[in-house]
Amino acid sequence: MTEYLTTGTNLPPYMIFPRFLLDSNLSETTKLLYMLLLDRARLSMKNDGWADAQGHVFIYFTITDLAAALHKGEMTIKNSLASLEHTGLIVRRRQGPGHPNRIYVKIPSAPAIQTDKKLSGRETGNCPIDRQKIVPVTDRKLSGNKKEIINNHLENEGNKDTPAVYGKYQNVFLTKDDLCDLKRDVPDWQQYIGKLSSYMASSGKAYQNHAATIRSRALRDKPASTKRNYDYEEGESL
């Protein structure tokens, strides 16, 4: 049963949904996860013992509890946490074996809410890929568990080249320069992108620099060159 709102209606318990999330390119699950973390952080702000030596408020929220609260799988929660960390909306600190991570919930500064490219930018101009559609990260709206980006790839500070996403599972981040360098130096670059995408999706592992990871694997797979011996005895012909 439902009832109309009146000026004296007591509202049921609710959470605050930050307005800046409406313009972000985060998935709906990631937005809800941030809202849940922010609500828990608001409780920490009102109670003693939930701030570190620098005065930064933190929370504890296990992946199992987050998955249960949002009725999602644990892998989906891990991917959403990685997305929030990639955009700078949370910071996780390990507390040692057997202890949950300490989570710091962050909010954008007032100017960043309007201009932060990671949240609401629109930028194109990527090096084209043969037979593959390129969509910049900031232009891509993701939804559903299968399309959740594993966002542990960190952009270099001051880098204005917006990464685009590649691979079957849309979890490999490469800038325009990264892609052009790989096309030049790695003959089977598309195959390596596909392998890296599948491996990260199946294992849950993430890498800080995907271009460097692909280059490293290509060098590892490259057969060692054999040096020919051109020494010869007098009277012999080459």
Side-chain angles (χ1 to χ4, degrees):
M1 179 181 294
T2 59
E3 59 185 45
Y4 291 98
L5 290 175
T6 66
T7 56
T9 298
N10 291 323
L11 295 176
Y14 62 92
M15 298 181 185
I16 295 177
F17 186 89
R19 189 178 295 273
F20 73 85
L21 289 178
L22 295 174
D23 297 324
S24 77
N25 289 314
L26 298 170
S27 72
E28 299 306 315
T29 298
T30 304
K31 292 176 182 178
L32 291 176
L33 177 62
Y34 179 79
M35 180 178 65
L36 186 61
L37 296 174
L38 183 62
D39 184 71
R40 177 67 66 89
R42 289 174 59 240
L43 295 177
S44 295
M45 293 170 64
K46 297 177 181 179
N47 295 277
D48 296 332
W50 295 96
D52 61 17
Q54 289 74 41
H56 300 153
V57 171
F58 62 86
I59 63 173
Y60 291 115
F61 219 143
T62 66
I63 291 176
T64 301
D65 289 341
L66 288 170
L70 293 180
H71 306 287
K72 300 290 184 180
E74 291 191 5
M75 181 57 68
T76 299
I77 297 300
K78 290 179 181 179
N79 292 344
S80 290
L81 287 171
S83 295
L84 291 175
E85 197 160 33
H86 174 71
T87 54
L89 290 175
I90 65 168
V91 173
R92 289 180 286 179
R93 296 281 185 254
R94 295 186 180 275
Q95 301 301 301
H99 297 281
N101 289 338
R102 180 178 287 185
I103 303 176
Y104 293 85
V105 181
K106 304 175 68 178
I107 59 174
S109 59
I113 294 176
Q114 300 297 329
T115 61
D116 191 347
K117 288 185 178 181
K118 290 181 180 178
L119 295 178
S120 60
R122 292 291 183 269
E123 188 169 302
T124 56
N126 294 281
C127 181
I129 280 188
D130 299 334
R131 303 180 191 175
Q132 184 171 350
K133 183 179 180 180
I134 302 174
V135 183
V137 176
T138 52
D139 276 358
R140 185 177 185 84
K141 273 194 175 291
L142 298 178
S143 60
N145 298 349
K146 293 184 179 180
K147 292 186 178 181
E148 182 72 44
I149 295 180
I150 304 177
N151 280 324
N152 279 356
H153 172 76
L154 302 178
E155 295 181 70
N156 294 327
E157 190 172 346
N159 183 14
K160 295 182 180 179
D161 189 4
T162 303
V165 290
Y166 304 95
K168 180 178 180 179
Y169 299 98
Q170 298 294 284
N171 55 356
V172 178
F173 292 83
L174 297 172
T175 65
K176 173 184 175 182
D177 291 340
D178 288 337
L179 181 62
C180 291
D181 288 345
L182 288 176
K183 292 181 71 173
R184 182 189 64 223
D185 301 334
V186 181
D188 299 327
W189 56 273
Q190 287 177 302
Q191 182 178 355
Y192 280 102
I193 289 176
K195 287 182 177 180
L196 180 59
S197 178
S198 297
Y199 177 72
M200 290 194 299
S202 63
S203 66
K205 191 171 183 180
Y207 297 90
Q208 182 173 355
N209 188 311
H210 294 166
T213 302
I214 292 172
R215 190 179 299 276
S216 175
R217 292 189 176 191
L219 290 174
R220 181 191 61 191
D221 295 342
K222 185 177 181 181
S225 59
T226 56
K227 184 177 180 180
R228 293 187 178 182
N229 185 4
Y230 290 100
D231 296 336
Y232 64 97
E233 298 291 338
E234 185 175 356
E236 293 180 343
S237 58
L238 293 176

